[in-house]
Every structure is written in C-alpha cells, then in structure tokens.
Amino acid sequence: MNVLILGSGGREHALAWKISQSSSCNKLFIAPGNAGTNLVGINKNIDVTDFNEIKHLVIDEDVEMVVVGPEDPLVNGIYDFFKNDNDLNHVSIIGPSKEGAQLEGSKKFAKEFMQRHNIPTAKYKSFDKDTLQEGYDFLETLSPPYVLKADGLAAGKGVLIINSISEAKSELKSMLLDSKFGQASSTVVIEEFLDGIELSVFVITNGDTYKILPTAKDYKRIGEGDTGLNTGGMGAVSPVPFVDRFFMEKIEQEIIKPSIEGLKKENISYKGFLFIGLIKVGSEPKVIEYNVRMGDPETEVVIPRIKSDFLNLLKGIKDGTFSEKDLNISEDVAATVMLVSEGYPQKYNKGYEIINSENCEGSIIFHAGTTKDEGIVKTNGGRVIAVTSFGKTLEGALAKSNKNAEKINFQGKSYRKDIGFDL
Ligand code: AMP
Ligand code: GLY
C-alpha cells in the first residue's frame, strides 16, 4: 500500500523509518519531511494543514493511508475532511476526528471528559474573561505553586507554574484580558499542582479496542538537571524503569480503559494514537494531559522498540483486523539524545552544515530540523537530530547515544549529557 506521513520532525522520521521496513509498504511519502525522511521515502513539499494539496497528492499517488504526525491537522479536522469527501473516504487516516482531537485542542474539554469518566487528574476549574474574579477566588483556595493552562493549542508554551499568588493573578488577567496566548487563552484552566514523577504512556486504538505501546519519559527542559526553559524535548528513554507490572495495571484499569471506553460511549471517532501524560503521585497515576498524536522525542525510543511489522498493525485499523495483530516489544532499553541549535528554544540560526551524521555505529540517527541543500545536509530547526541507541541497560544505551552525539557536528551544536539522570 502507498502511505503518506504528515510532519517533518524526528517523530516523523522514526515513523517513516519503521513503516518503510514493512513488506506491505509500497510507496512512502512524507509531507513536508526532512533530510532524513528522504532517505526512507519521498518528501513532498506540502504544508500539513493544506488539506487541498494533501488531497491532490493522495489521489495522484493512490495513497491508502495517511499517518498524521503533529496535532495541528487533527485539531483542524483532517479526519473529517477525508470522511466527508467521496474521493477520499476510502483512505484510512491514522488520527482522531476533530471532536476526538479536542482532547488535546482544549484543556477544558479534556478535563470535563476525565471528570465524566472518573479518570484521575488534578482538581480544576476553568474561567473566561467574564469570570476573572471567580478565577482570583479559586486561586485563593489553592496552595502554591499555581498551575495556569491556556485552554487551546499554544505551541507547548501555554502552561504556567507560578509560586506567588499575586503573580498568578496577574498572569491570569493577562491570559484572559490581554490575550497572552492569543485565542488559546480566552479560556484558562486553573488546577491543583501535582507533586511527583512524570511519565508517558502511548496507546493505539481502532476506536473499539486498544494496544499499549512502550512507556517513555522525556526531558523537556533545556538545561542539565532539568533546569531552564521548556523545549519540545531534549531526550527520552523507554521503558520507564519505575513502572512495574502493578503500576501499569493500575494505569490501564483507571486511565487507559475508561479513556477508550469514554470515547466509544460518547460516539467520538478515534482511530489513532493517544498519548497520555501522567504524573505518579505517591503510588497513584494521574493524568496531566492528553495528546492525540505520538510524542517527540518519545517516538524515537518507542517505535524502535517495536519488533513487529508496524504498518501491518495500522492496516488492521483499516481492514477491521486490528485486535488480531501482534505487537511485539523488544526487552532492550532505548534512549535518545537530541542535538539542538545554539539559542534554542529561543532565537537560533539555521543553515549550518551537519557532518558525520551518516556513520554513527551503534545508533539510529533520526533527523528532526534538517534539510538537504545542494547535496549538503544542513540544520533547519531548533531540534536538529535525535540519536537513538539500544542497550541491555539504560547506561549502555546512553553511552552509545552520547558517543555519537559527540561525533556528529554542526556550528552551535548542544545537547544534554544527563538524559535519564533521575532514574
Ligand atoms: P502540559 O502542557 O499540560 O503537559 O503541561 C506542561 C508541563 O507542566 C507538564 O509536563 C508538567 O511538567 C507540568 N504540569 C502540568 N500540569 C501540572 C500539574 N497539575 N501539576 C504539576 N505539574 C504540572
Ligand atoms: N515531548 C512532548 C510532546 O511531544 O508533547
């Protein structure tokens, strides 16, 4: 079958790398892709939210499945666009409907969904410009730190964790009245701060049954020891060592099952990935957020640990055989280290030549912000390359990734040498 992957990051390179290995994969397209995806498929320079251009590509190239990497096309309704078009409704979209994508597109929707289905999460209330005073009053009932979340998509920047009540109030006002995060903060969720260790679980569902993919933990802060600004993710490990069989069982019964059942009960079409961000408070898992896609860089450790044919599993969603398909996971530990541009996550320059990315023995190199320009691979984003390795132990996997992270070079390269430090 011909497959199209939407997106251009390390996540999409990891998905393309895996899908290209399937005996069921005929032509593989990635839009817009990067210099790495072009090694395993054919890049098409189309924006992920340009549904009409995507339609032309799908028809011209006889694409039967579209795997959606990032959240934007999902929140904008690519699933519904395909379903409602007679020329496209035979194509399988791996990703939820617009309504299902609200689990990520609206924090308020997600919180209300969790409440309806008794899914453990932080206590919360939501506010808009007409209920600012009630927001101040609610803050007074909480103890610091205060967690303020813009309701809508804010490119990963919409969550504020603030120690002082006066600052929390002034930020709330700026989100609601001064559009601090634009339209995304016209509604704000205020929630109780949860103190614990974070992890992520990933589920793939056909809307009826589900399979649990490997767990992962990502490292979001730019600086070693989890300091400094938030980024998209500086590295990740899989599996998460503190998740034993009992804790996983708890996550499945209290969170995964009611989430999938809840979608079904509410008649929300959902055939795709569900990424559940969790925090372990004492021995209890609580949901911090849902994402309706895979994580990046979590995908760069989750997908390589899957031994079975992943496209075959996705085909099961299309042809109704999903529950019979195998999902075999490697026992090995995977770790990834992200090489980033100097200045990231703030202002950075692009266009620097990347050297030594081809010969990194012992690691898999997933491109993120890269491009090929006149035959030369160059930096093209803040997060540039993810270096993934396997090991019998986390230390072993990290040693290989760190060695190759050292070897690959471009002007201004930086990376965290302490991925997994807290495990
Ligand atoms: P989110 O975009 O919802 O994932 O939030 C970004 C980050 O903020 C999370 O990865 C957590 O580190 C932190 N966070 C979000 N909600 C809470 C909470 N209720 N308590 C503690 N930390 C939180
Ligand atoms: N690494 C976090 C995310 O993809 O949202």
Side-chain angles (χ1 to χ4, degrees):
M1 99 175 3
N2 295 344
V3 179
L4 166 64
I5 298 175
L6 295 180
S8 60
R11 167 180 52 208
E12 287 75 20
H13 188 188
L15 288 166
W17 169 84
K18 183 70 182 166
I19 288 173
S20 70
Q21 294 165 24
S22 168
S23 56
S24 310
C25 184
N26 183 24
K27 280 193 203 164
L28 175 63
F29 300 94
I30 306 94
N34 59 37
T37 59
N38 220 18
L39 302 171
V40 291
I42 305 160
N43 284 356
K44 292 283 177 180
N45 192 14
I46 298 174
D47 188 277
V48 296
T49 53
D50 190 343
F51 296 170
N52 283 314
E53 278 299 310
I54 293 169
K55 172 177 175 172
H56 287 139
L57 172 64
V58 164
I59 290 172
D60 292 349
E61 296 289 353
D62 198 15
V63 168
E64 286 179 73
M65 177 180 287
V66 180
V67 181
V68 185
E71 63 278 15
D72 273 350
L74 295 165
V75 172
N76 288 333
I78 192 165
Y79 176 92
D80 310 73
F81 179 89
F82 271 64
K83 275 292 151 281
N84 296 327
D85 186 318
N86 285 334
D87 298 330
L88 296 175
N89 57 21
H90 65 285
V91 178
S92 168
I93 297 277
I94 303 299
S97 61
K98 186 170 184 167
E99 198 184 5
Q102 287 298 296
L103 284 181
E104 178 165 2
S106 165
K107 304 265 186 207
K108 183 173 178 226
F109 177 94
K111 292 298 264 189
E112 289 171 350
F113 177 87
M114 287 184 256
Q115 208 164 38
R116 282 196 297 280
H117 301 288
N118 284 316
I119 296 165
T121 185
K123 202 170 66 181
Y124 82 103
K125 279 200 167 119
S126 53
F127 304 93
D128 60 24
K129 67 178 184 351
D130 298 325
T131 52
L132 179 62
Q133 184 57 48
E134 285 93 321
Y136 291 161
D137 296 343
F138 184 59
L139 282 170
E140 295 284 359
T141 70
L142 300 173
S143 29
Y146 305 96
V147 182
L148 271 53
K149 298 184 171 184
D151 178 59
L153 294 183
K157 298 190 173 70
V159 176
L160 302 178
I161 298 182
I162 301 166
N163 283 314
S164 112
I165 184 112
S166 59
E167 201 191 320
K169 286 182 178 173
S170 101
E171 286 293 353
L172 178 65
K173 179 159 172 268
S174 137
M175 287 166 93
L176 291 175
L177 301 189
D178 312 329
S179 309
K180 179 173 174 126
F181 299 107
Q183 189 54 33
S185 66
S186 59
T187 298
V188 172
V189 167
I190 301 179
E191 67 180 35
E192 162 200 25
F193 179 82
L194 299 174
D195 199 4
I197 184 157
E198 286 180 50
L199 69 143
S200 300
V201 303
F202 301 90
V203 178
I204 174 117
T205 176
N206 62 353
D208 184 34
T209 59
Y210 60 85
K211 294 185 194 287
I212 303 174
L213 302 175
T215 56
K217 185 173 195 313
D218 81 334
Y219 291 81
K220 288 202 182 77
R221 301 294 194 91
I222 188 72
E224 289 178 4
D226 283 342
T227 53
L229 294 172
N230 254 324
T231 71
M234 297 294 291
V237 303
S238 176
V240 180
F242 60 82
V243 180
D244 59 19
R245 202 153 50 83
F246 300 103
F247 190 54
M248 196 65 216
E249 178 65 19
K250 197 165 208 168
I251 294 171
E252 181 167 8
Q253 295 308 326
E254 294 178 11
I255 294 166
I256 298 174
K257 233 181 211 159
S259 298
I260 302 299
E261 291 292 323
L263 289 164
K264 218 157 59 172
K265 272 189 212 143
E266 298 190 21
N267 284 319
I268 296 173
S269 290
Y270 204 114
K271 300 171 204 282
F273 299 103
L274 181 63
F275 160 172
I276 311 176
L278 298 172
I279 194 154
K280 185 181 184 202
V281 184
S283 59
E284 298 303 317
K286 297 197 179 203
V287 178
I288 308 180
E289 64 167 350
Y290 287 114
N291 293 307
V292 298
R293 51 173 173 84
M294 289 296 291
D296 193 352
E298 293 92 329
T299 307
E300 291 94 301
V301 287
V302 168
I303 290 288
R305 289 190 59 226
I306 297 175
K307 293 195 286 190
S308 30
D309 182 329
F310 196 61
L311 181 57
N312 194 31
L313 177 69
L314 298 180
K315 265 174 67 191
I317 295 182
K318 185 174 169 61
D319 63 24
T321 58
F322 176 74
S323 59
E324 298 148 33
K325 301 284 187 186
D326 290 333
L327 177 64
N328 299 318
I329 308 294
S330 160
E331 296 283 316
D332 287 350
V333 176
T336 198
V337 171
M338 190 64 84
L339 310 185
V340 305
S341 299
E342 183 176 10
Y344 175 78
Q346 293 175 294
K347 208 169 119 13
Y348 55 84
N349 293 323
K350 304 194 272 197
Y352 298 120
E353 180 174 0
I354 302 168
I355 57 166
N356 289 337
S357 66
E358 292 87 11
N359 45 7
C360 290
E361 206 184 311
S363 299
I364 313 170
I365 302 306
F366 293 124
H367 288 233
T370 70
T371 188
K372 204 162 190 175
D373 177 20
E374 295 179 347
I376 296 172
V377 178
K378 295 182 175 173
T379 65
N380 193 38
R383 294 193 292 171
V384 177
I385 277 179
V387 184
T388 295
S389 314
F390 286 112
K392 291 287 165 226
T393 61
L394 182 55
E395 292 75 16
L398 282 165
K400 290 181 210 164
S401 282
N402 283 326
K403 183 166 146 256
N404 284 317
E406 182 64 44
K407 187 166 155 192
I408 300 171
N409 238 325
F410 54 86
Q411 190 178 319
K413 174 192 79 173
S414 101
Y415 63 98
R416 274 181 65 171
K417 297 175 186 68
D418 71 336
I419 299 305
F421 76 99
D422 54 339
L423 298 174

mmCIF file of all heavy atoms in Angstrom, residues 71-72 75 104-107 148-160 175 179-187 230 289 291 293:
data_model
loop_
_atom_site.group_PDB
_atom_site.id
_atom_site.type_symbol
_atom_site.label_atom_id
_atom_site.label_comp_id
_atom_site.label_asym_id
_atom_site.label_seq_id
_atom_site.Cartn_x
_atom_site.Cartn_y
_atom_site.Cartn_z
ATOM 1 N N GLU A 71 -0.274 17.542 15.876
ATOM 2 C CA GLU A 71 -1.665 17.740 16.290
ATOM 3 C C GLU A 71 -2.440 18.717 15.405
ATOM 4 O O GLU A 71 -3.664 18.607 15.289
ATOM 5 C CB GLU A 71 -1.742 18.200 17.764
ATOM 6 C CG GLU A 71 -1.098 19.544 18.100
ATOM 7 C CD GLU A 71 0.416 19.473 18.305
ATOM 8 O OE1 GLU A 71 1.041 18.459 17.926
ATOM 9 O OE2 GLU A 71 0.983 20.447 18.833
ATOM 10 N N ASP A 72 -1.740 19.675 14.798
ATOM 11 C CA ASP A 72 -2.471 20.742 14.085
ATOM 12 C C ASP A 72 -3.480 20.233 13.053
ATOM 13 O O ASP A 72 -4.642 20.635 13.080
ATOM 14 C CB ASP A 72 -1.484 21.714 13.417
ATOM 15 C CG ASP A 72 -1.067 22.818 14.367
ATOM 16 O OD1 ASP A 72 -1.684 22.931 15.446
ATOM 17 O OD2 ASP A 72 -0.121 23.561 14.037
ATOM 18 N N VAL A 75 -6.506 18.686 14.936
ATOM 19 C CA VAL A 75 -7.381 19.669 15.584
ATOM 20 C C VAL A 75 -8.142 20.460 14.511
ATOM 21 O O VAL A 75 -9.287 20.849 14.702
ATOM 22 C CB VAL A 75 -6.556 20.574 16.533
ATOM 23 C CG1 VAL A 75 -7.382 21.723 17.077
ATOM 24 C CG2 VAL A 75 -5.974 19.746 17.680
ATOM 25 N N GLU A 104 -6.752 17.133 22.997
ATOM 26 C CA GLU A 104 -5.529 17.940 23.044
ATOM 27 C C GLU A 104 -5.814 19.410 22.748
ATOM 28 O O GLU A 104 -5.172 20.288 23.309
ATOM 29 C CB GLU A 104 -4.485 17.402 22.051
ATOM 30 C CG GLU A 104 -3.223 18.248 22.027
ATOM 31 C CD GLU A 104 -2.029 17.601 21.348
ATOM 32 O OE1 GLU A 104 -2.154 16.464 20.841
ATOM 33 O OE2 GLU A 104 -0.958 18.238 21.342
ATOM 34 N N GLY A 105 -6.784 19.661 21.892
ATOM 35 C CA GLY A 105 -7.056 21.028 21.424
ATOM 36 C C GLY A 105 -7.721 21.915 22.451
ATOM 37 O O GLY A 105 -7.687 23.137 22.330
ATOM 38 N N SER A 106 -8.337 21.295 23.459
ATOM 39 C CA SER A 106 -8.958 22.094 24.518
ATOM 40 C C SER A 106 -8.739 21.414 25.868
ATOM 41 O O SER A 106 -9.237 20.322 26.119
ATOM 42 C CB SER A 106 -10.457 22.256 24.252
ATOM 43 O OG SER A 106 -11.106 22.723 25.432
ATOM 44 N N LYS A 107 -7.994 22.108 26.732
ATOM 45 C CA LYS A 107 -7.720 21.550 28.070
ATOM 46 C C LYS A 107 -9.029 21.411 28.849
ATOM 47 O O LYS A 107 -9.184 20.490 29.645
ATOM 48 C CB LYS A 107 -6.775 22.463 28.851
ATOM 49 C CG LYS A 107 -5.470 22.752 28.152
ATOM 50 C CD LYS A 107 -4.374 21.815 28.589
ATOM 51 C CE LYS A 107 -3.040 22.220 27.991
ATOM 52 N NZ LYS A 107 -2.112 21.118 27.823
ATOM 53 N N LEU A 148 -1.547 27.316 35.739
ATOM 54 C CA LEU A 148 -2.479 28.004 34.835
ATOM 55 C C LEU A 148 -2.270 27.456 33.434
ATOM 56 O O LEU A 148 -1.131 27.432 32.947
ATOM 57 C CB LEU A 148 -2.177 29.505 34.821
ATOM 58 C CG LEU A 148 -2.868 30.416 35.844
ATOM 59 C CD1 LEU A 148 -2.681 29.912 37.254
ATOM 60 C CD2 LEU A 148 -2.361 31.844 35.719
ATOM 61 N N LYS A 149 -3.349 27.028 32.786
ATOM 62 C CA LYS A 149 -3.202 26.450 31.453
ATOM 63 C C LYS A 149 -4.113 27.141 30.456
ATOM 64 O O LYS A 149 -5.333 27.176 30.647
ATOM 65 C CB LYS A 149 -3.566 24.965 31.473
ATOM 66 C CG LYS A 149 -2.674 24.134 32.382
ATOM 67 C CD LYS A 149 -3.001 22.653 32.298
ATOM 68 C CE LYS A 149 -1.939 21.846 33.052
ATOM 69 N NZ LYS A 149 -2.140 20.398 32.925
ATOM 70 N N ALA A 150 -3.518 27.660 29.385
ATOM 71 C CA ALA A 150 -4.330 28.176 28.276
ATOM 72 C C ALA A 150 -5.127 27.000 27.727
ATOM 73 O O ALA A 150 -4.586 25.912 27.542
ATOM 74 C CB ALA A 150 -3.425 28.762 27.196
ATOM 75 N N ASP A 151 -6.393 27.218 27.481
ATOM 76 C CA ASP A 151 -7.262 26.131 27.013
ATOM 77 C C ASP A 151 -6.820 25.553 25.670
ATOM 78 O O ASP A 151 -6.807 24.341 25.480
ATOM 79 C CB ASP A 151 -8.694 26.676 26.886
ATOM 80 C CG ASP A 151 -9.658 25.617 26.357
ATOM 81 O OD1 ASP A 151 -9.770 24.570 27.015
ATOM 82 O OD2 ASP A 151 -10.275 25.837 25.309
ATOM 83 N N GLY A 152 -6.445 26.405 24.737
ATOM 84 C CA GLY A 152 -6.188 25.963 23.359
ATOM 85 C C GLY A 152 -4.729 25.637 23.093
ATOM 86 O O GLY A 152 -3.883 25.686 23.993
ATOM 87 N N LEU A 153 -4.425 25.314 21.833
ATOM 88 C CA LEU A 153 -3.049 24.995 21.441
ATOM 89 C C LEU A 153 -2.194 26.252 21.504
ATOM 90 O O LEU A 153 -2.558 27.279 20.949
ATOM 91 C CB LEU A 153 -3.012 24.446 20.006
ATOM 92 C CG LEU A 153 -3.675 23.096 19.749
ATOM 93 C CD1 LEU A 153 -3.467 22.704 18.289
ATOM 94 C CD2 LEU A 153 -3.151 22.022 20.681
ATOM 95 N N ALA A 154 -1.066 26.155 22.204
ATOM 96 C CA ALA A 154 -0.197 27.327 22.336
ATOM 97 C C ALA A 154 1.256 26.923 22.107
ATOM 98 O O ALA A 154 2.166 27.390 22.800
ATOM 99 C CB ALA A 154 -0.390 27.961 23.709
ATOM 100 N N ALA A 155 1.468 26.033 21.149
ATOM 101 C CA ALA A 155 2.812 25.580 20.771
ATOM 102 C C ALA A 155 3.630 25.141 21.982
ATOM 103 O O ALA A 155 4.825 25.432 22.081
ATOM 104 C CB ALA A 155 3.539 26.673 19.976
ATOM 105 N N GLY A 156 2.988 24.460 22.908
ATOM 106 C CA GLY A 156 3.709 23.931 24.063
ATOM 107 C C GLY A 156 4.070 24.966 25.124
ATOM 108 O O GLY A 156 4.769 24.676 26.080
ATOM 109 N N LYS A 157 3.600 26.219 24.937
ATOM 110 C CA LYS A 157 4.004 27.279 25.877
ATOM 111 C C LYS A 157 2.883 27.700 26.805
ATOM 112 O O LYS A 157 3.060 28.573 27.653
ATOM 113 C CB LYS A 157 4.483 28.511 25.080
ATOM 114 C CG LYS A 157 5.686 28.223 24.224
ATOM 115 C CD LYS A 157 6.267 29.524 23.663
ATOM 116 C CE LYS A 157 7.582 29.270 22.942
ATOM 117 N NZ LYS A 157 7.404 28.531 21.677
ATOM 118 N N GLY A 158 1.713 27.095 26.665
ATOM 119 C CA GLY A 158 0.526 27.593 27.350
ATOM 120 C C GLY A 158 0.348 27.207 28.807
ATOM 121 O O GLY A 158 -0.688 27.525 29.392
ATOM 122 N N VAL A 159 1.343 26.533 29.410
ATOM 123 C CA VAL A 159 1.205 26.133 30.819
ATOM 124 C C VAL A 159 2.166 26.956 31.674
ATOM 125 O O VAL A 159 3.368 27.000 31.405
ATOM 126 C CB VAL A 159 1.507 24.625 31.006
ATOM 127 C CG1 VAL A 159 1.458 24.239 32.477
ATOM 128 C CG2 VAL A 159 0.517 23.787 30.204
ATOM 129 N N LEU A 160 1.613 27.628 32.696
ATOM 130 C CA LEU A 160 2.458 28.421 33.596
ATOM 131 C C LEU A 160 2.383 27.820 34.988
ATOM 132 O O LEU A 160 1.297 27.479 35.468
ATOM 133 C CB LEU A 160 1.967 29.871 33.644
ATOM 134 C CG LEU A 160 1.915 30.621 32.309
ATOM 135 C CD1 LEU A 160 1.354 32.026 32.525
ATOM 136 C CD2 LEU A 160 3.300 30.708 31.681
ATOM 137 N N MET A 175 -3.670 36.498 30.573
ATOM 138 C CA MET A 175 -4.131 35.451 29.654
ATOM 139 C C MET A 175 -5.566 35.737 29.184
ATOM 140 O O MET A 175 -5.873 35.651 27.999
ATOM 141 C CB MET A 175 -4.067 34.069 30.340
ATOM 142 C CG MET A 175 -2.640 33.541 30.500
ATOM 143 S SD MET A 175 -2.528 32.125 31.644
ATOM 144 C CE MET A 175 -2.665 30.740 30.530
ATOM 145 N N SER A 179 -5.029 38.563 26.045
ATOM 146 C CA SER A 179 -4.717 37.510 25.058
ATOM 147 C C SER A 179 -3.248 37.111 25.056
ATOM 148 O O SER A 179 -2.624 37.051 23.996
ATOM 149 C CB SER A 179 -5.109 37.953 23.648
ATOM 150 O OG SER A 179 -6.415 38.405 23.627
ATOM 151 N N LYS A 180 -2.697 36.859 26.229
ATOM 152 C CA LYS A 180 -1.277 36.500 26.324
ATOM 153 C C LYS A 180 -0.916 35.371 25.356
ATOM 154 O O LYS A 180 0.163 35.380 24.764
ATOM 155 C CB LYS A 180 -0.943 36.081 27.752
ATOM 156 C CG LYS A 180 0.509 35.663 27.928
ATOM 157 C CD LYS A 180 0.888 35.412 29.368
ATOM 158 C CE LYS A 180 2.301 34.874 29.424
ATOM 159 N NZ LYS A 180 3.171 35.632 30.293
ATOM 160 N N PHE A 181 -1.780 34.378 25.197
ATOM 161 C CA PHE A 181 -1.538 33.305 24.226
ATOM 162 C C PHE A 181 -2.581 33.361 23.110
ATOM 163 O O PHE A 181 -3.016 32.329 22.601
ATOM 164 C CB PHE A 181 -1.555 31.939 24.920
ATOM 165 C CG PHE A 181 -0.495 31.794 25.976
ATOM 166 C CD1 PHE A 181 -0.816 31.811 27.325
ATOM 167 C CD2 PHE A 181 0.836 31.649 25.608
ATOM 168 C CE1 PHE A 181 0.172 31.694 28.294
ATOM 169 C CE2 PHE A 181 1.834 31.531 26.567
ATOM 170 C CZ PHE A 181 1.503 31.557 27.920
ATOM 171 N N GLY A 182 -2.972 34.581 22.744
ATOM 172 C CA GLY A 182 -3.961 34.759 21.683
ATOM 173 C C GLY A 182 -5.291 34.136 22.067
ATOM 174 O O GLY A 182 -5.663 34.080 23.245
ATOM 175 N N GLN A 183 -5.970 33.617 21.050
ATOM 176 C CA GLN A 183 -7.267 32.991 21.231
ATOM 177 C C GLN A 183 -7.168 31.797 22.198
ATOM 178 O O GLN A 183 -8.113 31.484 22.926
ATOM 179 C CB GLN A 183 -7.755 32.556 19.838
ATOM 180 C CG GLN A 183 -9.177 32.066 19.739
ATOM 181 C CD GLN A 183 -10.194 33.060 20.313
ATOM 182 O OE1 GLN A 183 -10.016 34.275 20.240
ATOM 183 N NE2 GLN A 183 -11.259 32.530 20.907
ATOM 184 N N ALA A 184 -5.986 31.149 22.218
ATOM 185 C CA ALA A 184 -5.795 29.939 23.047
ATOM 186 C C ALA A 184 -6.050 30.206 24.524
ATOM 187 O O ALA A 184 -6.450 29.307 25.267
ATOM 188 C CB ALA A 184 -4.385 29.389 22.854
ATOM 189 N N SER A 185 -5.829 31.459 24.971
ATOM 190 C CA SER A 185 -6.020 31.728 26.402
ATOM 191 C C SER A 185 -7.293 32.524 26.676
ATOM 192 O O SER A 185 -7.416 33.170 27.715
ATOM 193 C CB SER A 185 -4.794 32.410 27.016
ATOM 194 O OG SER A 185 -4.599 33.694 26.493
ATOM 195 N N SER A 186 -8.273 32.456 25.778
ATOM 196 C CA SER A 186 -9.558 33.106 26.079
ATOM 197 C C SER A 186 -10.306 32.305 27.143
ATOM 198 O O SER A 186 -11.217 32.816 27.789
ATOM 199 C CB SER A 186 -10.396 33.292 24.816
ATOM 200 O OG SER A 186 -10.632 32.046 24.240
ATOM 201 N N THR A 187 -9.919 31.039 27.305
ATOM 202 C CA THR A 187 -10.357 30.251 28.455
ATOM 203 C C THR A 187 -9.093 29.734 29.137
ATOM 204 O O THR A 187 -8.119 29.390 28.453
ATOM 205 C CB THR A 187 -11.240 29.065 28.011
ATOM 206 O OG1 THR A 187 -12.400 29.578 27.371
ATOM 207 C CG2 THR A 187 -11.652 28.183 29.179
ATOM 208 N N ASN A 230 11.529 25.474 28.965
ATOM 209 C CA ASN A 230 10.919 24.286 28.376
ATOM 210 C C ASN A 230 11.218 24.214 26.885
ATOM 211 O O ASN A 230 11.245 25.231 26.204
ATOM 212 C CB ASN A 230 9.410 24.345 28.558
ATOM 213 C CG ASN A 230 8.950 23.392 29.626
ATOM 214 O OD1 ASN A 230 9.499 22.292 29.776
ATOM 215 N ND2 ASN A 230 7.958 23.790 30.373
ATOM 216 N N GLU A 289 -2.172 15.454 31.002
ATOM 217 C CA GLU A 289 -2.686 15.906 29.706
ATOM 218 C C GLU A 289 -2.865 14.723 28.774
ATOM 219 O O GLU A 289 -2.245 13.674 28.939
ATOM 220 C CB GLU A 289 -1.715 16.900 29.051
ATOM 221 C CG GLU A 289 -0.381 16.267 28.726
ATOM 222 C CD GLU A 289 0.504 17.086 27.797
ATOM 223 O OE1 GLU A 289 0.031 18.072 27.225
ATOM 224 O OE2 GLU A 289 1.677 16.714 27.643
ATOM 225 N N ASN A 291 -2.525 13.923 24.625
ATOM 226 C CA ASN A 291 -2.184 14.403 23.293
ATOM 227 C C ASN A 291 -2.738 13.385 22.317
ATOM 228 O O ASN A 291 -2.814 12.194 22.643
ATOM 229 C CB ASN A 291 -0.668 14.528 23.114
ATOM 230 C CG ASN A 291 -0.084 15.620 23.999
ATOM 231 O OD1 ASN A 291 -0.539 16.753 23.972
ATOM 232 N ND2 ASN A 291 0.893 15.270 24.810
ATOM 233 N N ARG A 293 -1.643 12.332 19.439
ATOM 234 C CA ARG A 293 -0.576 12.001 18.485
ATOM 235 C C ARG A 293 0.529 11.349 19.291
ATOM 236 O O ARG A 293 0.424 11.248 20.518
ATOM 237 C CB ARG A 293 -0.047 13.318 17.902
ATOM 238 C CG ARG A 293 0.276 14.258 19.076
ATOM 239 C CD ARG A 293 0.947 15.537 18.731
ATOM 240 N NE ARG A 293 1.038 16.396 19.904
ATOM 241 C CZ ARG A 293 1.985 16.339 20.827
ATOM 242 N NH1 ARG A 293 2.946 15.441 20.729
ATOM 243 N NH2 ARG A 293 1.984 17.142 21.870
#
